[in-house]
Amino acid sequence: MHLGLIHHVGYVVADLDAGIPVYRDVLGMPVGAREVMPDQGVEAVMLGAGPSYVELITPVSDDSGVARFLAKKGPGMHHVAFAVPHLESALQELSEEGVELIDTAPRRGLGGHMVAFLHPRSTAGVLTELVEQH
Ligand code: CO
């Protein structure tokens, strides 16, 4: 298993457009991919020039995990994403090591990256995402 650099940190916000200006205008982070992901019930935007980014996420449906997170905890840090060279083999290896996977197979994430989430029960209470990066 070769975990790479932190690819991004995900923050949940109540309103994407209200959340963007401080990062874009004050902290000078370019605005990258932005899209609604209906299967996740969220809209997200990637900010930054890399190699590490900030991902702002907001719920677009009341029954999404992110909506529950926001209702329960309020806005704030939601997950940390690490780059891996080969996501499918990383998931296979982690599964064999007994790590609890939320996504047993890669799925499409923001900006077309292939991603998968690990359950926080297996990762010291922090929701962890893997992003395939070549
Ligand atoms: Co993410």
Side-chain angles (χ1 to χ4, degrees), residues 58-71:
T58 199
V60 293
S61 73
D62 289 339
D63 61 350
S64 67
V66 168
R68 288 191 295 274
F69 179 97
L70 187 61

Side-chain angles (χ1 to χ4, degrees), residues 29-45:
M29 299 172 81
V31 178
R34 175 174 179 164
E35 60 185 295
V36 176
M37 291 175 283
D39 58 321
Q40 299 294 308
V42 301
E43 182 174 9
V45 61

Side-chain angles (χ1 to χ4, degrees), residues 5-7 51 53 83-87 113-114 131-134:
L5 295 174
I6 289 178
H7 180 269
Y53 303 86
V84 292
H86 300 290
L87 184 52
H113 286 108
M114 295 310 290
V131 180
E132 184 162 288
Q133 200 172 45
H134 299 286

